[in-house]
Amino acid sequence: MANDYHYCQTPESLHPLLEALKTTSCVVLGCEGVDLGREGGSITILSLLLAPLEDEQTKPYILDLKTLESDKPSLTLLFDALASGTILKVTFDGRRDGLALRALGYELAQSRCVLDMQLAMVMKRVEIDGETCEEQIERLRGWLAYRELEQHSQMYELIHKLPSLEMALIDIFEHDESHENIAEPLRAKTAHGIYHSSWGDRPLDIKYLEYAAAVVRLISQLYHRFHDDGMLARLTELQSATTRFLASAGKAEVEMYNAHRLLPLDVLKPRAAGPTYQCDGCRLTLGSDAFSKSARLMLNKKKERLCWVCRAVKIHEETNRNRYDSDGDPYAYDSDDDPW
C-alpha cells in the first residue's frame, strides 16, 4: 500500500515541497523529537501539510531533519519560504514548536501570519463559550492540588490550562458522531509503541512516520472546524495573540518556567497601560495584575518575584516532588510525564 505521506530524507526529495510552497496559501506545521523545546532536546521530524487541507488526497511532507540538517542551503530555502507573509502557518502548541525550530535557525515567533490552534481553544472557551471562573479553575484540578485551588481560588482566575491536541479534538468533535474516534491515533500512541525518546532513532519505524502524518491532519481538521463554524471570524485577536504567545517562549532561565501547561499572562489581551514588573520565573515583563501585592513590592527580599502563572508552576513542581501532604493525603497530580 502506498504511503499517505511524502517522506523527505534527501535534498532532492525537498524539491517538490519547495515548489509547492511557492503557490500554497496555508501550511499546517507539526514537530516531533526528543524533549522538544527543552534544554538538550532536539527536533528530528518536521511535518508540513499544504493547502488544500480539506482534500483527503493531499499528502503531508514528513521531513527527516536528522538526515537533512547537514543540508543548510535547502533548509534555508524552506524556512525562507515558510516566513512568507502570504502563507498562513497553522500550528498547535507553537510555543514548543517555535523553541524546537529555533535550534535550526527558524524563528517561528518572528514569522508573519501564524495561528496557534491550542491558543484558539483557550480563546474559544473565554470569548465564545463564556466559560466561568469556576469552570476555568476546575480544569486545573489534577495539575494542582485540590486544597491549593480551594484555598487560593482567586489567585487562579487569570490562569488558563492549555489543552492537549487530544483533548481539543474531543472537545470540538464531542457531539459529532462522524468523528467519534477522531483522537484515536493520539490516544493509542503508547499502546502502539510510540515513545518520545525514540524519535531520534534511525531507521525510524514506519509507525512514527504515520503518527507524524496523522498529527498534522488532525490539526488541519481542528482548524477547518473552527473555520467552517465561523469561530475563527469571531476570534479577531487570535493572530496577534498568537504572536504574543510565541514571543513568550524560551525566556526563562529555569527549565520548569519554560515547559509547562499554563498559558502565559498578557497573551489573550495586550498588556494594559500602567506599571510593569519582570517576573523572575518566565522573565516576562507583565502588568501589575499579574502579581500579588507582596510580589510587586518585593516585601520579602529572599523570595523570587513570580507572576501568578510561575507561582502555580512552582507549586506544581513542588507537589510532584512531594506527593503527600502533612496529613498523608495524596496530592492530585498530572500522570502524563510530558510537561507540554
Side-chain angles (χ1 to χ4, degrees):
M1 183 177 68
N3 294 332
D4 64 349
Y5 52 83
H6 304 287
Y7 188 30
C8 303
Q9 294 179 283
T10 65
E12 293 73 24
S13 64
L14 283 179
H15 292 165
L17 169 60
L18 294 173
E19 284 300 311
L21 284 170
K22 293 178 181 179
T23 57
T24 193
S25 59
C26 182
V27 175
V28 176
L29 181 151
C31 299
E32 306 294 346
V34 181
D35 292 333
L36 275 185
R38 307 188 72 177
E39 186 176 353
S42 62
I43 176 175
T44 61
I45 292 290
L46 174 62
S47 308
L48 301 173
L49 179 64
L50 279 59
L53 305 179
E54 65 275 16
D55 187 345
E56 293 184 359
Q57 301 303 313
T58 303
K59 294 183 178 183
Y61 291 86
I62 309 299
L63 280 61
D64 189 335
L65 297 178
K66 286 203 74 172
T67 60
L68 289 169
E69 63 182 351
S70 60
D71 182 28
K72 301 297 183 184
S74 293
L75 290 181
T76 298
L77 289 173
L78 170 66
F79 294 140
D80 285 349
L82 287 175
S84 169
T86 64
I87 300 177
L88 174 65
K89 276 74 67 176
V90 179
T91 185
F92 191 95
D93 196 355
R95 182 177 59 153
R96 182 189 65 172
D97 290 350
L99 285 175
L101 289 166
R102 182 177 297 169
L104 298 176
Y106 175 50
E107 288 287 350
L108 184 62
Q110 296 177 13
S111 183
R112 292 167 290 171
C113 207
V114 185
L115 292 184
D116 190 295
M117 297 311 298
Q118 186 183 48
L119 180 59
M121 287 296 301
V122 176
M123 295 182 72
K124 169 184 172 292
R125 296 175 196 161
V126 175
E127 299 182 21
I128 297 177
D129 299 342
E131 185 171 79
T132 65
C133 288
E134 290 77 13
E135 291 170 330
Q136 175 184 323
I137 292 172
E138 182 66 26
R139 294 181 184 275
L140 295 170
R141 294 193 189 279
W143 200 83
L144 285 171
Y146 174 83
R147 184 176 302 174
E148 169 67 19
L149 293 172
E150 286 295 305
Q151 291 179 347
H152 306 290
S153 59
Q154 286 187 323
M155 296 183 182
Y156 295 103
E157 291 182 359
L158 293 176
I159 297 179
H160 296 270
K161 187 180 180 186
L162 294 164
S164 65
L165 178 56
E166 177 184 343
M167 294 310 299
L169 291 165
I170 292 172
D171 187 340
I172 292 297
F173 293 97
E174 182 178 12
H175 303 296
D176 187 340
E177 293 184 0
S178 65
H179 292 81
E180 185 177 0
N181 297 313
I182 189 171
E184 188 59 30
L186 304 175
R187 190 182 298 117
K189 67 178 181 179
T190 302
H192 294 163
I194 296 176
Y195 302 100
H196 289 294
S197 58
S198 297
W199 280 105
D201 295 350
R202 292 298 180 274
L204 193 60
D205 193 291
I206 190 172
K207 61 190 175 186
Y208 284 85
L209 303 177
E210 293 172 344
Y211 176 83
V215 166
V216 287
R217 289 190 184 279
L218 291 172
I219 297 173
S220 172
Q221 290 190 60
L222 186 64
Y223 167 76
H224 272 285
R225 177 53 62 93
F226 266 76
H227 181 276
D228 294 346
D229 288 358
M231 289 185 284
L232 285 181
R234 295 174 66 182
L235 300 178
T236 56
E237 291 295 313
L238 178 56
Q239 190 166 322
S240 55
T242 295
T243 300
R244 293 190 290 271
F245 185 45
L246 300 182
S248 71
K251 297 181 182 294
E253 297 175 0
V254 179
E255 182 69 33
M256 68 177 177
Y257 297 126
N258 276 327
H260 57 77
R261 297 181 175 217
L262 304 182
L263 178 67
L265 298 173
D266 285 0
V267 166
L268 292 184
K269 296 180 180 179
R271 184 174 61 242
T276 59
Y277 306 85
Q278 186 179 59
C279 174
D280 291 333
C282 59
R283 310 299 294 176
L284 297 177
T285 299
L286 303 166
S288 58
D289 61 348
F291 302 88
S292 66
K293 181 178 180 180
S294 60
R296 291 197 303 269
L297 299 178
M298 288 298 288
L299 297 179
N300 188 336
K301 302 298 183 182
K302 295 181 180 180
K303 287 188 175 182
E304 301 171 292
R305 173 188 281 146
L306 297 179
C307 67
W308 294 124
V309 164
C310 289
R311 178 189 178 278
V313 169
K314 186 173 184 178
I315 290 173
H316 169 75
E317 291 294 321
E318 290 173 349
T319 298
N320 273 356
R321 286 196 298 268
N322 179 19
R323 293 175 181 172
Y324 295 89
D325 65 13
S326 58
D327 297 324
D329 296 326
Y331 278 113
Y333 63 97
D334 201 314
S335 60
D336 190 339
D337 62 0
D338 181 4
W340 293 92

